[in-house]
């Protein structure tokens, strides 16, 4: 049986739709009354694991799921040994450096050396500031990092931004982009090598769906 790790939250609806287009119907996970964390597909040849976004590559890397859908930001942050197969195109956002709008900083390089930067994505932040050759103290937060500059615990933040509304509502402004992120189909490398064709059929179907022209809004 094929096992697919699906992230709860913002990516779930689109993930279910994409797998449905590839022949695996996991729509039962969207039932408001569903409390199961392991849900079989309607066809009975696959099952979905409902996990937190950051846990998707863990289940895939350890072989408990052959496929999964997760944001590129998570892949960059956790650096798990998984195969990136398809950029699915949804869940678009960008990793940015943001500061108080009143700070006067225009670029990340303007930040003072050894200042504090708050983030959930400390690995991504460290890579970015090391590349700038700018020493900073990283403060790991798991909640609303926007509070960092507002409370004075940090001079800046590194966080995901979609529309930018949360930044604006809290008097912050993005000054630098690290990278753009979207949902990615990932796979377990050994499972893909040993695949007799079942996994490849799913991967190709999802790749074809991504290449199809989108209907104009």
């Amino acid at each position: 049986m094929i096992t697919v790790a699906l992230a709860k939250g913002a990516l779930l609806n689109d993930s279910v739709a994409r797998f449905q287009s590839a022949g695996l119907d996991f729509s039962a996970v969207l039932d408001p009354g569903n409390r199961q964390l392991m849900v079989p597909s309607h066809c009975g040849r696959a099952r979905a694991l409902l996990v937190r976004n950051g846990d998707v590559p863990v289940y895939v890397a350890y072989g408990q799921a052959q496929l999964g859908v997760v944001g590129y930001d998570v892949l960059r942050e956790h650096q798990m040994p998984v195969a990136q197969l398809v950029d699915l195109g949804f869940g678009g956002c960008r990793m940015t450096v943001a500061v108080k709008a009143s700070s006067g900083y225009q670029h990340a390089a303007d930040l003072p050396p050894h200042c504090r930067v708050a983030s959930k994505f400390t690995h991504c932040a460290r890579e970015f500031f090391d590349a700038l050759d700018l020493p900073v103290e990283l403060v790991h937060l798991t909640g609303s990092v926007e509070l960092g500059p507002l409370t004075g615990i940090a001079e800046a933040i590194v966080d995901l931004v979609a529309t930018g509304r949360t930044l604006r509502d809290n008097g912050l402004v993005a000054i630098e982009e690290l990278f753009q992120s979207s949902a990615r189909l990932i796979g377990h490398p050994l499972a893909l090598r040993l695949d007799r064709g079942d996994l490849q059929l799913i991967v190709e179907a999802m790749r074809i769906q991504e290449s199809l022209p989108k209907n104009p809004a």
Side-chain angles (χ1 to χ4, degrees):
M1 178 175 285
I2 297 171
T3 302
V4 177
L6 297 180
K8 303 174 185 177
L11 299 181
L12 186 58
N13 283 8
D14 285 322
S15 297
V16 169
R18 292 300 293 274
F19 274 106
Q20 191 165 20
S21 71
L24 296 181
D25 187 351
F26 297 122
S27 57
V29 304
L30 302 178
D31 186 335
N34 176 63
R35 294 295 180 268
Q36 291 182 303
L37 299 176
M38 185 181 295
V39 181
S41 64
H42 285 306
C43 66
R45 64 189 181 98
R47 62 185 177 183
L49 305 181
L50 279 178
V51 301
R52 294 188 65 170
N53 194 35
D55 291 340
V56 170
V58 178
Y59 279 94
V60 175
Y62 280 90
Q64 304 309 308
Q66 291 79 51
L67 298 173
V69 176
V70 68
Y72 178 63
D73 54 291
V74 174
L75 298 177
R76 284 284 297 263
E77 179 65 18
H78 296 290
Q79 301 285 304
M80 298 298 290
V82 298
Q84 295 189 47
L85 302 172
V86 185
D87 182 346
L88 297 171
F90 59 83
C93 52
R94 61 191 190 278
M95 189 73 73
T96 65
V97 179
V99 296
K100 290 173 69 172
S102 59
S103 70
Y105 300 125
Q106 299 296 315
H107 304 282
D110 298 336
L111 292 168
H114 306 292
C115 71
R116 292 193 296 265
V117 177
S119 184
K120 303 171 191 172
F121 303 92
T122 50
H123 179 80
C124 293
R126 175 61 66 200
E127 280 191 335
F128 175 76
F129 285 105
D130 282 353
L132 283 182
D133 197 24
L134 178 63
V136 298
E137 178 186 346
L138 293 175
V139 179
H140 186 264
L141 296 178
T142 59
S144 300
V145 295
E146 294 85 3
L147 280 171
L150 300 182
T151 60
I153 197 174
E155 194 77 21
I157 64 173
V158 171
D159 200 20
L160 287 176
V161 174
T163 65
R165 179 176 177 179
T166 301
L167 291 182
R168 292 191 298 271
D169 287 351
N170 288 282
L172 304 179
V173 60
I175 59 171
E176 201 91 41
E177 182 178 297
L178 281 66
F179 57 82
Q180 295 190 352
S181 179
S182 57
R184 306 296 168 92
L185 178 68
I186 61 173
H188 182 260
L190 181 58
L192 292 167
R193 286 199 296 271
L194 299 178
D195 176 39
R196 297 180 178 179
D198 293 339
L199 294 178
Q200 192 60 38
L201 285 174
I202 297 168
V203 173
E204 286 304 316
M206 297 183 80
R207 184 174 287 124
I208 289 169
Q209 283 294 319
E210 178 54 28
S211 67
L212 292 175
K214 307 297 187 294
N215 292 327

